[in-house]
Amino acid sequence: MPEPEHPERPEHPDNPGGYDPVGPRGEEAMSPTGQGGAMDLALQEAESVEGVEQDAGPEGPREKARSLWSDAWHQLRRNPVFVVSSLLILFLVVISIWPQLIASGDPLQCDLSKSQEGSSPGHPFGYDTQGCDVYTRTVYGARASITVGICATVGAALLGSALGGLAGFFGGWGDSLLSRVADIFFGIPVVLGGLVFLSVVTSTTVWPVVGFIVLLGWPQLARIARGSVITAKQNDYVQAARALGAGNGRMLLRHVAPNAVAPVIVVATIALGTYIALEATLSFLGVGLRPPTVSWGIDISNAAPQIRNAPHMLLYPAGALSITVLAFIMLGDAVRDALDPKLR
């Protein structure tokens, strides 16, 4: 029986007379055995690697790894809680800057003949005890509350982050001193401290209230910043920067602070709503903002004795205050979920 003829095997240029594993058209001569051996596994891995390289293209992978902030923004855009709260806060900020866009009246213009009257055409919220338009005062009251909340949050965040970050980065006696001072401030009741501190202030502006909130609000943010910096400075990239000769200032500003600021932002966002509620509480007690400043806390205080006769006087400013505080708390929760990898 004649033996089957085999095709001539091409000679390898470096091995005359030998076998070249690559065919004349650059194709691999080896083929899978079908028995699941080591050769088949190697061929499958080679094909998968080749497929990845072809999909990647000449400019590298199509999808690049996102940073913490870009990944957080990618998640926040798809979070309906963040979208709704952001739109609501944007609306509140706009009307606090330009209240005349939706309220054409004067919040200080009153008519005693219309005292405690209900809603009427052009005055949907009715009138208060002094005959002032409740709708106009509710719209203009957003300015004082938003101003106090934002300014107090920025001041407390900057002061607390600076002190807490330095204490956590350098440690030593400064860290111990800051911890003991923060403990003293934590022991001061907020409302009682406001009654004592603001009762001697005669200014009718928002700045005494802002200063008081910053004074009692920075220890919480300082403690958050301190713990975050202590965790960040132990990472390998910080140790590598130190080994390469980077100074303390460069390590703190370039490597530690950007990776430790996320918890501070989350706590500050949630605290902003708390500060707005605190301002309304102090104004309700008569030691916060004072007339002629228009504030939700002042209107709630004036409407409390007349809640049975004219509940509309209390309903609208209290509702606006509740919605504002809820919006900032919802925003803080959404930011926390986006920046905390453990909650994903």
Side-chain angles (χ1 to χ4, degrees), residues 174-266:
D175 187 13
S176 301
L177 178 62
L178 178 71
S179 299
R180 302 294 76 79
V181 172
D183 292 339
I184 294 174
F185 279 94
F186 277 123
I188 300 176
V190 178
V191 177
L192 180 59
L195 290 173
V196 175
F197 179 82
L198 296 175
S199 60
V200 298
V201 178
T202 59
S203 176
T204 59
T205 62
V206 300
W207 303 116
V209 180
V210 171
F212 169 75
I213 296 176
V214 171
L215 182 64
L216 292 187
W218 72 265
Q220 178 188 15
L221 295 172
R223 181 165 291 184
I224 298 296
R226 173 183 175 274
S228 184
V229 167
I230 290 176
T231 302
K233 76 175 184 179
Q234 297 175 354
N235 292 328
D236 294 337
Y237 56 84
V238 178
Q239 303 300 328
R242 188 186 300 274
L244 292 174
N248 290 330
R250 181 179 179 83
M251 286 190 297
L252 182 61
L253 296 177
R254 296 291 300 274
H255 302 287
V256 176
N259 295 280
V261 72
V264 178
I265 294 177
V266 172

Side-chain angles (χ1 to χ4, degrees), residues 81-213:
V81 175
F82 173 78
V83 175
V84 172
S85 59
S86 298
L87 292 177
L88 183 57
I89 291 172
L90 179 62
F91 171 74
L92 291 171
V93 171
V94 170
I95 66 171
S96 65
I97 299 175
W98 301 289
Q100 61 274 12
L101 292 177
I102 60 174
S104 58
D106 186 356
L108 301 179
Q109 184 177 0
C110 306
D111 186 0
L112 285 175
S113 62
K114 300 179 180 180
S115 176
Q116 299 184 11
E117 288 186 3
S119 61
S120 61
H123 306 278
F125 293 176
Y127 299 88
D128 62 5
T129 305
Q130 301 296 325
C132 302
D133 185 19
V134 176
Y135 172 77
T136 304
R137 291 187 63 85
T138 301
V139 172
Y140 275 81
R143 173 178 294 177
S145 298
I146 297 296
T147 301
V148 170
I150 293 178
C151 293
T153 302
V154 172
L158 292 178
L159 182 60
S161 299
L163 296 178
L166 292 175
F169 185 79
F170 293 103
W173 64 268
D175 187 13
S176 301
L177 178 62
L178 178 71
S179 299
R180 302 294 76 79
V181 172
D183 292 339
I184 294 174
F185 279 94
F186 277 123
I188 300 176
V190 178
V191 177
L192 180 59
L195 290 173
V196 175
F197 179 82
L198 296 175
S199 60
V200 298
V201 178
T202 59
S203 176
T204 59
T205 62
V206 300
W207 303 116
V209 180
V210 171
F212 169 75
I213 296 176

Side-chain angles (χ1 to χ4, degrees), residues 126 240 276 279 283 290 295 303 313 327:
I276 293 177
E279 176 273 321
S283 299
R290 295 180 174 89
S295 169
M313 294 172 49

